[in-house]
């Protein structure tokens, strides 16, 4: 069965650089979520999109932005990277009215 | 606001013993509750979910959980632990379908041979 695809799987950046993380949801899933999991922490909700519109926003820094495109894939753009941005970034997608989010394998971002 | 509290950050069990992971929730509306498992360097996999249907929920890999409104709890159990159950387990809550998840701090399970 198709799963959520995230790319890249690993990313190393320097402070103040920018990074773009991509997420390809499972086909026919209309909602995409982004979560950030710091070392030894629980995942924290960043932002979500429903049918290409932002549907909810969590503790996402102003330096971060995201969008969902016409093919439903989503990108998380991160600028002026800080050491504290080093984390595992998960994308999840869900089909309509099922109440279950399917998570991708995550992108591990390391900021040096 | 909704939140979950997982009691115990680490649980160690012997192979074949009962696994019990505790989760209590706080919610102003009827909650949707989930248990996820995370293996090292992997994503989150859904074990089971409660969405206001049966209070005893059976999931994958022999896990089950019971929703108890009077105790605001959603504890996860497995009668007999297997070495492959060693992982981190997260309890999560949401307002309902298509809403963000709020996770607990997680419980790391180790299984002793």
């Amino acid at each position: 069965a198709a799963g959520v695809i995230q790319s890249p799987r690993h990313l190393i950046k320097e402070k103040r650089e920018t990074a773009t993380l991509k997420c390809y949801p499972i086909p026919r899933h209309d909602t995409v979520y982004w979560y950030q999991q710091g070392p030894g922490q629980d995942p924290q909700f960043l932002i979500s999109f429903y049918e290409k519109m932002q549907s909810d926003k969590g503790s996402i820094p102003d330096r971060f932005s995201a969008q969902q495109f016409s093919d439903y894939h989503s990108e998380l753009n991160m600028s002026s990277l800080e050491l504290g941005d080093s984390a595992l970034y998960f994308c999840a997608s869900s089909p309509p009215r099922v109440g279950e989010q399917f998570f991708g394998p995550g992108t591990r971002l390391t900021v040096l | 606001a909704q939140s979950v509290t997982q009691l115990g950050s680490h649980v160690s069990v012997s192979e074949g013993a009962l696994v019990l992971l505790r989760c209590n929730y706080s919610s102003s509306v009827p909650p949707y509750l989930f248990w996820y498992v995370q293996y090292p360097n992997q994503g989150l996999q859904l074990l089971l979910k409660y969405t206001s249907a049966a209070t005893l929920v059976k999931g994958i890999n022999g896990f089950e959980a019971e929703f108890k409104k009077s105790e605001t709890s959603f504890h996860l159990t497995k009668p007999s632990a297997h070495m492959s159950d060693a992982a981190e387990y997260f309890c999560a809550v949401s307002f309902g379908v298509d809403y963000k998840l709020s996770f607990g701090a997680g419980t790391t399970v180790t299984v002793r041979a």
Side-chain angles (χ1 to χ4, degrees):
Chain A
V4 176
I5 298 171
Q6 291 188 247
S7 68
R9 293 292 310 277
H10 301 273
L11 191 57
I12 299 175
K13 291 286 185 179
E14 299 279 343
K15 282 196 312 183
R16 293 180 287 278
E17 286 191 321
T18 61
T20 297
L21 279 54
K22 296 185 178 182
C23 169
Y24 299 85
I26 295 171
R28 292 178 294 283
H29 284 198
D30 58 3
T31 306
V32 168
Y33 309 81
W34 285 97
Y35 294 86
Q36 177 193 56
Q37 185 179 27
Q41 298 180 9
D42 56 288
Q44 295 289 319
F45 171 74
L46 292 177
I47 195 167
S48 63
F49 293 88
Y50 169 71
E51 285 290 343
K52 302 176 283 291
M53 299 287 289
Q54 181 181 307
S55 54
D56 197 2
K57 193 171 181 179
S59 50
I60 182 170
D62 292 340
R63 300 178 288 108
F64 293 7
S65 64
Q67 57 182 324
Q68 187 178 31
F69 295 86
S70 57
D71 64 351
Y72 290 91
H73 94 272
S74 178
E75 295 185 2
L76 178 65
N77 298 292
M78 309 159 70
S79 63
S80 302
L81 288 169
E82 301 174 357
L83 296 178
D85 296 329
S86 295
L88 196 54
Y89 290 84
F90 287 111
C91 172
S93 70
S94 66
R97 298 174 298 283
V98 168
E100 180 175 340
Q101 295 182 25
F102 295 78
F103 282 77
T107 294
R108 184 169 296 281
L109 172 66
T110 302
V111 181
L112 302 176
Chain B
Q2 297 182 304
S3 64
V4 290
T5 301
Q6 291 183 239
L7 302 176
S9 58
H10 290 87
V11 168
S12 180
V13 298
S14 298
E15 192 174 20
L18 171 72
V19 179
L20 170 60
L21 305 182
R22 301 178 187 273
C23 173
N24 288 90
Y25 69 90
S26 172
S27 176
S28 56
V29 298
Y32 285 62
L33 293 160
F34 308 81
W35 276 100
Y36 281 85
V37 61
Q38 185 178 31
Y39 297 99
N41 299 313
Q42 293 190 26
L44 295 156
Q45 181 182 13
L46 181 68
L47 283 176
L48 47 79
K49 64 181 179 183
Y50 167 77
T51 56
S52 74
T55 56
L56 182 61
V57 181
K58 294 188 182 297
I60 62 172
N61 301 341
F63 284 93
E64 65 180 36
E66 185 172 9
F67 173 74
K68 290 187 176 180
K69 185 177 179 180
S70 61
E71 299 177 8
T72 61
S73 67
F74 191 58
H75 301 332
L76 181 71
T77 60
K78 181 174 180 177
S80 178
H82 190 272
M83 297 298 287
S84 61
D85 295 326
E88 184 145 24
Y89 293 78
F90 291 97
C91 182
V93 63
S94 76
F95 283 107
V97 296
D98 304 330
Y99 285 92
K100 66 183 179 186
L101 294 171
S102 295
F103 289 87
T107 299
T108 301
V109 172
T110 58
V111 182
R112 305 185 303 273

